[in-house]
Amino acid sequence: MSEPLFDRVALIGIGLIGSSIALNVKAHGLARHVAITTRRAETLATAERLGLGDSYHLEVTDAVREADLVILCVPVGICGAITREIAPYLKAGAIISDVGSVKGAVIEQMRPHLPETVAFVPAHPLAGTEQSGPQAGFVALFQKRWCILTPLEETDPPAVERLKVFWEACGSAVEIMTAEHHDLVLAIVSHVPHLIAYNIVGTAADLETVTQSEVVKFSASGFRDFTRIAASDPTMWRDVFLTNRDAVLEMLARFSEDLASLQRAIRWGDGDTLFDLFTRTRAIRRNVIEAGQDTAKPNFGREAGNGSSDESSA
Amino acid sequence: MSEPLFDRVALIGIGLIGSSIALNVKAHGLARHVAITTRRAETLATAERLGLGDSYHLEVTDAVREADLVILCVPVGICGAITREIAPYLKAGAIISDVGSVKGAVIEQMRPHLPETVAFVPAHPLAGTEQSGPQAGFVALFQKRWCILTPLEETDPPAVERLKVFWEACGSAVEIMTAEHHDLVLAIVSHVPHLIAYNIVGTAADLETVTQSEVVKFSASGFRDFTRIAASDPTMWRDVFLTNRDAVLEMLARFSEDLASLQRAIRWGDGDTLFDLFTRTRAIRRNVIEAGQDTAKPNFGREAGNGSSDESSA
């Protein structure tokens, strides 16, 4: 049996991502010891019951002692406070990483607290589901997904390489880019799509002319797809929008501009503008499927009954 | 063997919905004869090769002769022209129906041309996928889906009942409402969701700071869900927006208002507003699943690799 990549991995936070990392460390023998810490005793007990780690700690400082890889798996908004707390207890030579969906703000919050003796490698596995909590994790979560690393100027290259090997062992393909570019890319492929999904679900719930039970009843006509995304973790997503503000507002402004132009086309009966856009977007779907980023099966391959129908005739 | 519901069913248009109806008529023995007509010779040849009907006609007037059920399965925009053409050839006592996603405009277009000797029962099966054409149809498409009938004041009740039995035989649950209410409901559960999906995909394709290939590459972070909806048939959807204009513009105005308020919350760092909405929308997802309108499996139960990941950590 080959040497594990790390002696001791500390996971701070044990939600969907933290628990899926824990399962991967076990499944692929990536560490001798997995230390798990989370603030809520109940969540920690669930993690222990599920056997996700080797030791369980309510005190975050206990978990990170002697760890040679520490990963913060918590909402972006509390990364700074946690880093300040653990900084004095970090082992020299340790790698500190995270899984946050925003990288600029995470770096801004964490960097000032970290001693020079550790290597900070911000990371973002582009993986998840609409479910949350330690029981939501599964080993295949990162399989064939991207993990983006955004190392700093001062980050030690061998530490970046080691974390890359770690994520590849979890099944991911690793991409390296600047934090600034990451935040722009994610704003358009993830943050704004989530915002408009949350928004349409809210709008639909607040109508007087159509009841909420009608909205639910007839949701398979397109709406249900948005409810899935709008079921994502509220704390995590609040923090994403608060911390990637500038990129989100910029992309949102463009979205609204484009939507106003579609609205105008509808009002004035300009069918060509609509038809041209709808033809162009269809081609992009083909690219997504060809790039292996989604299934080609109709309705995402949902099972019949739940899945064999939806909106194209709706 | 029980008597078929109809002697001769004529299907005008043989795309996803028309072909799925044809397969259901065969599978459940709902008619002695299925006559298929479509304008493009190539599409008609495909339908014949697939064995979808009993006779195939390039002339729509040939198909409807002697039919006791005629269903228009064409984009909403051409229902009027077709009705004018077939009206003189309709058999007395025949039921005329359609499958259009907008009911007010369909009625406005078709009603003036129809003789008093036929029963007009507008219908809308809330079923479909993002795929189009006669080869996209399948027998389970209508299984456990809603079919909404919007009979007119003058529509003969037994004709409504007969069409209800027809759709129930195809596996659907039938709901009856006014055309006006239908158009409001569909605007929010289907039309506006489609419009914003088309729009975000268009916005993402037009950026300078993020390339289109990056958008495709990292699309599993949420964006890909929108590309599926935005791959729906362009002609059909152009017609939906042009013909359900007022309801779409009304719902769109509310969507934009709500979005502006979220935008303001992001700009001013009002996390509570975001958190409250995101918690409320999560509850609506639970209602959708409890109502049997979507699968509870993470990521719609997409297969791993294509499906085991997406946006909740993105």
Short mmCIF file of all heavy atoms in Angstrom, two decimals, chain B residues 89-147:
data_model
loop_
_atom_site.label_atom_id
_atom_site.label_comp_id
_atom_site.label_asym_id
_atom_site.label_seq_id
_atom_site.Cartn_x
_atom_site.Cartn_y
_atom_site.Cartn_z
N TYR B 89 -63.82 21.10 -44.73
CA TYR B 89 -63.70 19.65 -44.91
C TYR B 89 -63.99 18.87 -43.63
O TYR B 89 -63.90 17.65 -43.62
CB TYR B 89 -62.28 19.30 -45.40
CG TYR B 89 -61.95 20.02 -46.68
CD1 TYR B 89 -61.35 21.27 -46.67
CD2 TYR B 89 -62.28 19.45 -47.93
CE1 TYR B 89 -61.07 21.95 -47.85
CE2 TYR B 89 -62.00 20.11 -49.11
CZ TYR B 89 -61.40 21.37 -49.06
OH TYR B 89 -61.15 22.02 -50.23
N LEU B 90 -64.31 19.59 -42.55
CA LEU B 90 -64.54 18.91 -41.28
C LEU B 90 -65.88 18.20 -41.28
O LEU B 90 -66.89 18.73 -41.73
CB LEU B 90 -64.48 19.92 -40.13
CG LEU B 90 -63.12 20.56 -39.89
CD1 LEU B 90 -63.23 21.68 -38.85
CD2 LEU B 90 -62.08 19.53 -39.47
N LYS B 91 -65.88 17.00 -40.75
CA LYS B 91 -67.09 16.18 -40.65
C LYS B 91 -68.01 16.75 -39.58
O LYS B 91 -67.55 17.20 -38.53
CB LYS B 91 -66.62 14.78 -40.24
CG LYS B 91 -67.68 13.72 -40.11
CD LYS B 91 -66.98 12.38 -39.83
CE LYS B 91 -67.86 11.44 -39.03
NZ LYS B 91 -67.14 10.19 -38.73
N ALA B 92 -69.29 16.73 -39.81
CA ALA B 92 -70.24 17.19 -38.79
C ALA B 92 -70.11 16.30 -37.56
O ALA B 92 -69.99 15.08 -37.67
CB ALA B 92 -71.67 17.13 -39.32
N GLY B 93 -70.10 16.93 -36.39
CA GLY B 93 -69.97 16.16 -35.14
C GLY B 93 -68.54 15.91 -34.71
O GLY B 93 -68.30 15.36 -33.63
N ALA B 94 -67.57 16.31 -35.55
CA ALA B 94 -66.17 16.08 -35.20
C ALA B 94 -65.75 16.95 -34.01
O ALA B 94 -66.32 18.02 -33.78
CB ALA B 94 -65.26 16.39 -36.39
N ILE B 95 -64.76 16.46 -33.26
CA ILE B 95 -64.14 17.26 -32.20
C ILE B 95 -62.84 17.84 -32.76
O ILE B 95 -62.03 17.13 -33.35
CB ILE B 95 -63.81 16.40 -30.96
CG1 ILE B 95 -65.10 15.90 -30.32
CG2 ILE B 95 -62.97 17.19 -29.95
CD1 ILE B 95 -64.87 14.93 -29.16
N ILE B 96 -62.69 19.16 -32.60
CA ILE B 96 -61.46 19.83 -33.02
C ILE B 96 -60.73 20.27 -31.77
O ILE B 96 -61.31 20.94 -30.92
CB ILE B 96 -61.74 21.09 -33.87
CG1 ILE B 96 -62.78 20.79 -34.94
CG2 ILE B 96 -60.46 21.67 -34.45
CD1 ILE B 96 -62.36 19.71 -35.88
N SER B 97 -59.44 19.91 -31.69
CA SER B 97 -58.68 20.30 -30.53
C SER B 97 -57.27 20.72 -30.96
O SER B 97 -56.94 20.72 -32.15
CB SER B 97 -58.63 19.16 -29.52
OG SER B 97 -58.07 19.60 -28.30
N ASP B 98 -56.47 21.09 -29.99
CA ASP B 98 -55.10 21.50 -30.27
C ASP B 98 -54.25 21.15 -29.06
O ASP B 98 -54.76 20.57 -28.09
CB ASP B 98 -55.03 23.00 -30.57
CG ASP B 98 -55.14 23.83 -29.31
OD1 ASP B 98 -56.08 23.56 -28.52
OD2 ASP B 98 -54.29 24.70 -29.07
N VAL B 99 -52.97 21.52 -29.09
CA VAL B 99 -52.09 21.24 -27.96
C VAL B 99 -51.28 22.49 -27.58
O VAL B 99 -50.24 22.40 -26.92
CB VAL B 99 -51.11 20.08 -28.27
CG1 VAL B 99 -51.88 18.78 -28.51
CG2 VAL B 99 -50.24 20.42 -29.48
N GLY B 100 -51.76 23.63 -28.00
CA GLY B 100 -51.00 24.87 -27.87
C GLY B 100 -50.77 25.31 -26.43
O GLY B 100 -51.62 25.12 -25.56
N SER B 101 -49.63 25.96 -26.21
CA SER B 101 -49.24 26.42 -24.87
C SER B 101 -49.91 27.72 -24.48
O SER B 101 -49.74 28.20 -23.37
CB SER B 101 -47.73 26.64 -24.81
OG SER B 101 -47.08 25.52 -25.30
N VAL B 102 -50.61 28.33 -25.41
CA VAL B 102 -51.37 29.55 -25.14
C VAL B 102 -52.80 29.25 -25.58
O VAL B 102 -53.01 28.67 -26.63
CB VAL B 102 -50.81 30.74 -25.95
CG1 VAL B 102 -51.58 32.01 -25.65
CG2 VAL B 102 -49.33 30.94 -25.63
N LYS B 103 -53.77 29.62 -24.79
CA LYS B 103 -55.13 29.23 -25.15
C LYS B 103 -55.97 30.41 -25.64
O LYS B 103 -56.75 30.26 -26.59
CB LYS B 103 -55.84 28.52 -23.98
CG LYS B 103 -55.15 27.23 -23.55
CD LYS B 103 -55.65 25.95 -24.22
CE LYS B 103 -55.52 25.82 -25.70
NZ LYS B 103 -54.23 25.30 -26.16
N GLY B 104 -55.81 31.57 -25.06
CA GLY B 104 -56.60 32.72 -25.51
C GLY B 104 -56.39 33.01 -26.98
O GLY B 104 -57.34 33.12 -27.76
N ALA B 105 -55.14 33.10 -27.39
CA ALA B 105 -54.82 33.45 -28.77
C ALA B 105 -55.23 32.34 -29.74
O ALA B 105 -55.66 32.61 -30.86
CB ALA B 105 -53.32 33.72 -28.90
N VAL B 106 -55.11 31.09 -29.31
CA VAL B 106 -55.52 29.97 -30.16
C VAL B 106 -57.02 30.03 -30.42
O VAL B 106 -57.48 29.83 -31.55
CB VAL B 106 -55.11 28.63 -29.50
CG1 VAL B 106 -55.90 27.48 -30.08
CG2 VAL B 106 -53.61 28.39 -29.65
N ILE B 107 -57.75 30.32 -29.38
CA ILE B 107 -59.21 30.40 -29.52
C ILE B 107 -59.58 31.57 -30.44
O ILE B 107 -60.42 31.43 -31.33
CB ILE B 107 -59.87 30.55 -28.13
CG1 ILE B 107 -59.70 29.25 -27.34
CG2 ILE B 107 -61.34 30.93 -28.25
CD1 ILE B 107 -60.11 29.33 -25.88
N GLU B 108 -58.93 32.70 -30.22
CA GLU B 108 -59.17 33.88 -31.05
C GLU B 108 -58.91 33.59 -32.53
O GLU B 108 -59.64 34.05 -33.40
CB GLU B 108 -58.21 34.97 -30.57
CG GLU B 108 -58.68 36.39 -30.74
CD GLU B 108 -57.69 37.32 -30.06
OE1 GLU B 108 -57.72 37.43 -28.81
OE2 GLU B 108 -56.86 37.91 -30.78
N GLN B 109 -57.86 32.81 -32.79
CA GLN B 109 -57.49 32.50 -34.17
C GLN B 109 -58.38 31.44 -34.81
O GLN B 109 -58.66 31.49 -36.00
CB GLN B 109 -56.06 31.95 -34.22
CG GLN B 109 -54.96 32.96 -34.06
CD GLN B 109 -53.61 32.24 -34.10
OE1 GLN B 109 -53.32 31.47 -35.02
NE2 GLN B 109 -52.83 32.47 -33.08
N MET B 110 -58.76 30.42 -34.01
CA MET B 110 -59.45 29.27 -34.60
C MET B 110 -60.96 29.43 -34.64
O MET B 110 -61.62 29.04 -35.60
CB MET B 110 -59.08 27.99 -33.83
CG MET B 110 -57.64 27.56 -34.02
SD MET B 110 -57.19 26.07 -33.06
CE MET B 110 -58.25 24.80 -33.82
N ARG B 111 -61.52 29.98 -33.58
CA ARG B 111 -62.96 30.04 -33.40
C ARG B 111 -63.73 30.63 -34.58
O ARG B 111 -64.76 30.05 -35.00
CB ARG B 111 -63.26 30.83 -32.13
CG ARG B 111 -64.67 30.71 -31.61
CD ARG B 111 -64.80 31.70 -30.44
NE ARG B 111 -65.79 31.33 -29.47
CZ ARG B 111 -65.95 32.00 -28.31
NH1 ARG B 111 -65.13 33.00 -28.01
NH2 ARG B 111 -66.90 31.66 -27.48
N PRO B 112 -63.27 31.75 -35.15
CA PRO B 112 -64.08 32.37 -36.21
C PRO B 112 -64.24 31.49 -37.45
O PRO B 112 -65.18 31.67 -38.21
CB PRO B 112 -63.28 33.63 -36.57
CG PRO B 112 -62.35 33.87 -35.42
CD PRO B 112 -62.07 32.54 -34.83
N HIS B 113 -63.32 30.56 -37.65
CA HIS B 113 -63.36 29.75 -38.88
C HIS B 113 -64.19 28.48 -38.74
O HIS B 113 -64.53 27.86 -39.74
CB HIS B 113 -61.93 29.35 -39.28
CG HIS B 113 -61.02 30.51 -39.48
ND1 HIS B 113 -61.22 31.45 -40.48
CD2 HIS B 113 -59.92 30.91 -38.81
CE1 HIS B 113 -60.26 32.35 -40.42
NE2 HIS B 113 -59.47 32.06 -39.41
N LEU B 114 -64.46 28.08 -37.51
CA LEU B 114 -65.06 26.75 -37.31
C LEU B 114 -66.57 26.75 -37.52
O LEU B 114 -67.27 27.62 -37.00
CB LEU B 114 -64.72 26.24 -35.91
CG LEU B 114 -63.24 25.86 -35.71
CD1 LEU B 114 -62.95 25.60 -34.24
CD2 LEU B 114 -62.89 24.63 -36.56
N PRO B 115 -67.08 25.77 -38.25
CA PRO B 115 -68.54 25.65 -38.44
C PRO B 115 -69.21 25.24 -37.13
O PRO B 115 -68.58 24.64 -36.26
CB PRO B 115 -68.67 24.54 -39.48
CG PRO B 115 -67.41 23.75 -39.38
CD PRO B 115 -66.34 24.71 -38.95
N GLU B 116 -70.49 25.56 -37.01
CA GLU B 116 -71.22 25.21 -35.78
C GLU B 116 -71.41 23.72 -35.62
O GLU B 116 -71.74 23.24 -34.54
CB GLU B 116 -72.60 25.88 -35.79
CG GLU B 116 -72.54 27.32 -35.31
CD GLU B 116 -73.92 27.97 -35.40
OE1 GLU B 116 -74.94 27.24 -35.34
OE2 GLU B 116 -73.97 29.22 -35.57
N THR B 117 -71.20 22.98 -36.68
CA THR B 117 -71.43 21.53 -36.63
C THR B 117 -70.31 20.76 -35.93
O THR B 117 -70.43 19.56 -35.73
CB THR B 117 -71.56 20.97 -38.07
OG1 THR B 117 -70.42 21.42 -38.81
CG2 THR B 117 -72.83 21.45 -38.73
N VAL B 118 -69.20 21.43 -35.60
CA VAL B 118 -68.11 20.73 -34.90
C VAL B 118 -67.99 21.26 -33.47
O VAL B 118 -68.47 22.34 -33.16
CB VAL B 118 -66.74 20.88 -35.62
CG1 VAL B 118 -66.84 20.40 -37.06
CG2 VAL B 118 -66.23 22.32 -35.56
N ALA B 119 -67.34 20.44 -32.60
CA ALA B 119 -67.13 20.84 -31.20
C ALA B 119 -65.68 21.21 -31.02
O ALA B 119 -64.78 20.40 -31.25
CB ALA B 119 -67.50 19.71 -30.26
N PHE B 120 -65.46 22.44 -30.58
CA PHE B 120 -64.09 22.93 -30.41
C PHE B 120 -63.71 22.81 -28.92
O PHE B 120 -64.32 23.44 -28.06
CB PHE B 120 -64.04 24.39 -30.87
CG PHE B 120 -62.69 25.06 -30.75
CD1 PHE B 120 -61.50 24.34 -30.80
CD2 PHE B 120 -62.61 26.45 -30.62
CE1 PHE B 120 -60.27 24.98 -30.71
CE2 PHE B 120 -61.38 27.10 -30.52
CZ PHE B 120 -60.20 26.36 -30.56
N VAL B 121 -62.69 21.98 -28.63
CA VAL B 121 -62.22 21.78 -27.25
C VAL B 121 -60.71 22.07 -27.18
O VAL B 121 -59.89 21.18 -27.39
CB VAL B 121 -62.49 20.34 -26.74
CG1 VAL B 121 -62.22 20.26 -25.24
CG2 VAL B 121 -63.89 19.88 -27.06
N PRO B 122 -60.35 23.31 -26.91
CA PRO B 122 -58.93 23.64 -26.82
C PRO B 122 -58.27 22.86 -25.67
O PRO B 122 -58.89 22.68 -24.62
CB PRO B 122 -58.92 25.14 -26.50
CG PRO B 122 -60.29 25.63 -26.88
CD PRO B 122 -61.21 24.47 -26.65
N ALA B 123 -57.05 22.38 -25.91
CA ALA B 123 -56.38 21.56 -24.90
C ALA B 123 -54.90 21.90 -24.84
O ALA B 123 -54.33 22.39 -25.82
CB ALA B 123 -56.56 20.08 -25.23
N HIS B 124 -54.32 21.63 -23.70
CA HIS B 124 -52.89 21.83 -23.54
C HIS B 124 -52.30 20.76 -22.64
O HIS B 124 -52.40 20.85 -21.41
CB HIS B 124 -52.62 23.23 -22.95
CG HIS B 124 -51.16 23.49 -22.72
ND1 HIS B 124 -50.69 24.43 -21.85
CD2 HIS B 124 -50.06 22.91 -23.27
CE1 HIS B 124 -49.36 24.41 -21.86
NE2 HIS B 124 -48.95 23.50 -22.71
N PRO B 125 -51.67 19.74 -23.24
CA PRO B 125 -50.95 18.77 -22.41
C PRO B 125 -49.67 19.40 -21.88
O PRO B 125 -48.84 19.86 -22.67
CB PRO B 125 -50.65 17.62 -23.39
CG PRO B 125 -50.66 18.25 -24.74
CD PRO B 125 -51.57 19.44 -24.67
N LEU B 126 -49.52 19.45 -20.57
CA LEU B 126 -48.31 20.04 -19.97
C LEU B 126 -47.22 18.99 -19.95
O LEU B 126 -46.87 18.43 -18.91
CB LEU B 126 -48.60 20.52 -18.54
CG LEU B 126 -49.10 21.95 -18.39
CD1 LEU B 126 -50.40 22.14 -19.13
CD2 LEU B 126 -49.26 22.33 -16.94
N ALA B 127 -46.68 18.75 -21.12
CA ALA B 127 -45.70 17.67 -21.27
C ALA B 127 -44.79 18.04 -22.41
O ALA B 127 -45.20 18.70 -23.36
CB ALA B 127 -46.40 16.36 -21.54
N GLY B 128 -43.57 17.59 -22.33
CA GLY B 128 -42.62 17.87 -23.39
C GLY B 128 -41.23 17.60 -22.89
O GLY B 128 -41.02 17.24 -21.74
N THR B 129 -40.28 17.72 -23.79
CA THR B 129 -38.88 17.68 -23.41
C THR B 129 -38.23 18.78 -24.22
O THR B 129 -38.89 19.46 -25.00
CB THR B 129 -38.20 16.34 -23.76
OG1 THR B 129 -37.98 16.29 -25.17
CG2 THR B 129 -39.03 15.16 -23.32
N GLU B 130 -36.91 18.93 -24.08
CA GLU B 130 -36.23 19.95 -24.87
C GLU B 130 -35.97 19.48 -26.29
O GLU B 130 -35.38 20.21 -27.09
CB GLU B 130 -34.93 20.36 -24.17
CG GLU B 130 -33.84 19.30 -24.12
CD GLU B 130 -33.97 18.33 -22.93
OE1 GLU B 130 -35.10 18.17 -22.41
OE2 GLU B 130 -32.96 17.74 -22.54
N GLN B 131 -36.43 18.28 -26.64
CA GLN B 131 -36.18 17.76 -27.98
C GLN B 131 -37.40 17.94 -28.88
O GLN B 131 -38.51 18.08 -28.41
CB GLN B 131 -35.75 16.29 -27.87
CG GLN B 131 -34.51 16.18 -26.96
CD GLN B 131 -33.92 14.79 -26.90
OE1 GLN B 131 -34.53 13.83 -27.32
NE2 GLN B 131 -32.72 14.71 -26.35
N SER B 132 -37.15 17.96 -30.19
CA SER B 132 -38.24 18.21 -31.14
C SER B 132 -38.24 17.17 -32.26
O SER B 132 -37.26 16.47 -32.47
CB SER B 132 -38.08 19.59 -31.80
OG SER B 132 -37.54 20.52 -30.92
N GLY B 133 -39.33 17.14 -33.02
CA GLY B 133 -39.39 16.29 -34.21
C GLY B 133 -40.06 14.96 -33.95
O GLY B 133 -40.21 14.54 -32.80
N PRO B 134 -40.51 14.27 -35.04
CA PRO B 134 -41.27 13.03 -34.91
C PRO B 134 -40.48 11.92 -34.20
O PRO B 134 -41.07 11.04 -33.57
CB PRO B 134 -41.60 12.63 -36.35
CG PRO B 134 -40.72 13.47 -37.22
CD PRO B 134 -40.35 14.68 -36.45
N GLN B 135 -39.15 11.97 -34.30
CA GLN B 135 -38.35 10.92 -33.66
C GLN B 135 -38.21 11.15 -32.16
O GLN B 135 -37.74 10.27 -31.43
CB GLN B 135 -36.98 10.79 -34.34
CG GLN B 135 -36.04 11.95 -34.11
CD GLN B 135 -36.53 13.25 -34.76
OE1 GLN B 135 -37.22 13.24 -35.78
NE2 GLN B 135 -36.22 14.38 -34.12
N ALA B 136 -38.62 12.32 -31.66
CA ALA B 136 -38.47 12.65 -30.23
C ALA B 136 -39.64 12.11 -29.39
O ALA B 136 -39.55 12.05 -28.17
CB ALA B 136 -38.34 14.16 -30.04
N GLY B 137 -40.72 11.70 -30.04
CA GLY B 137 -41.90 11.28 -29.30
C GLY B 137 -41.71 9.95 -28.58
O GLY B 137 -40.91 9.12 -29.00
N PHE B 138 -42.43 9.77 -27.49
CA PHE B 138 -42.42 8.48 -26.79
C PHE B 138 -43.74 8.31 -26.05
O PHE B 138 -44.40 9.30 -25.70
CB PHE B 138 -41.22 8.32 -25.86
CG PHE B 138 -41.05 9.42 -24.85
CD1 PHE B 138 -41.45 9.24 -23.53
CD2 PHE B 138 -40.47 10.64 -25.22
CE1 PHE B 138 -41.27 10.25 -22.59
CE2 PHE B 138 -40.30 11.65 -24.27
CZ PHE B 138 -40.71 11.46 -22.96
N VAL B 139 -44.10 7.06 -25.82
CA VAL B 139 -45.45 6.77 -25.34
C VAL B 139 -45.68 7.28 -23.91
O VAL B 139 -46.80 7.65 -23.54
CB VAL B 139 -45.77 5.26 -25.52
CG1 VAL B 139 -45.06 4.43 -24.47
CG2 VAL B 139 -47.27 5.01 -25.52
N ALA B 140 -44.64 7.33 -23.09
CA ALA B 140 -44.81 7.71 -21.68
C ALA B 140 -44.85 9.22 -21.47
O ALA B 140 -44.95 9.68 -20.34
CB ALA B 140 -43.71 7.10 -20.83
N LEU B 141 -44.76 9.99 -22.55
CA LEU B 141 -44.63 11.45 -22.40
C LEU B 141 -45.72 12.08 -21.54
O LEU B 141 -45.47 13.00 -20.77
CB LEU B 141 -44.59 12.13 -23.78
CG LEU B 141 -44.44 13.66 -23.75
CD1 LEU B 141 -43.11 14.08 -23.14
CD2 LEU B 141 -44.55 14.24 -25.17
N PHE B 142 -46.95 11.59 -21.68
CA PHE B 142 -48.07 12.24 -20.98
C PHE B 142 -48.40 11.58 -19.64
O PHE B 142 -49.31 12.01 -18.93
CB PHE B 142 -49.31 12.22 -21.87
CG PHE B 142 -49.05 12.80 -23.24
CD1 PHE B 142 -49.13 11.99 -24.38
CD2 PHE B 142 -48.69 14.13 -23.39
CE1 PHE B 142 -48.86 12.51 -25.64
CE2 PHE B 142 -48.43 14.65 -24.65
CZ PHE B 142 -48.51 13.84 -25.77
N GLN B 143 -47.68 10.51 -19.34
CA GLN B 143 -47.92 9.73 -18.13
C GLN B 143 -47.79 10.61 -16.88
O GLN B 143 -46.76 11.25 -16.68
CB GLN B 143 -46.86 8.61 -18.09
CG GLN B 143 -47.27 7.39 -17.32
CD GLN B 143 -48.43 6.65 -17.97
OE1 GLN B 143 -48.46 6.50 -19.19
NE2 GLN B 143 -49.40 6.22 -17.18
N LYS B 144 -48.85 10.64 -16.07
CA LYS B 144 -48.86 11.39 -14.81
C LYS B 144 -48.66 12.89 -15.00
O LYS B 144 -48.24 13.58 -14.09
CB LYS B 144 -47.80 10.86 -13.84
CG LYS B 144 -48.05 9.43 -13.38
CD LYS B 144 -47.12 9.08 -12.24
CE LYS B 144 -47.12 7.58 -11.99
NZ LYS B 144 -46.04 7.16 -11.12
N ARG B 145 -48.91 13.40 -16.19
CA ARG B 145 -48.82 14.85 -16.41
C ARG B 145 -50.22 15.43 -16.48
O ARG B 145 -51.19 14.72 -16.70
CB ARG B 145 -48.07 15.19 -17.69
CG ARG B 145 -46.73 14.55 -17.93
CD ARG B 145 -45.70 14.58 -16.84
NE ARG B 145 -45.77 15.64 -15.87
CZ ARG B 145 -44.98 15.71 -14.80
NH1 ARG B 145 -44.11 14.76 -14.57
NH2 ARG B 145 -45.09 16.70 -13.96
N TRP B 146 -50.31 16.73 -16.35
CA TRP B 146 -51.59 17.39 -16.48
C TRP B 146 -51.91 17.66 -17.94
O TRP B 146 -51.03 17.94 -18.75
CB TRP B 146 -51.57 18.73 -15.75
CG TRP B 146 -51.45 18.58 -14.28
CD1 TRP B 146 -50.32 18.72 -13.52
CD2 TRP B 146 -52.50 18.21 -13.37
NE1 TRP B 146 -50.60 18.47 -12.21
CE2 TRP B 146 -51.93 18.16 -12.08
CE3 TRP B 146 -53.86 17.92 -13.53
CZ2 TRP B 146 -52.68 17.83 -10.95
CZ3 TRP B 146 -54.60 17.59 -12.40
CH2 TRP B 146 -54.01 17.55 -11.13
N CYS B 147 -53.20 17.58 -18.27
CA CYS B 147 -53.67 18.11 -19.54
C CYS B 147 -54.80 19.08 -19.20
O CYS B 147 -55.77 18.70 -18.52
CB CYS B 147 -54.15 17.00 -20.48
SG CYS B 147 -54.70 17.68 -22.06
#
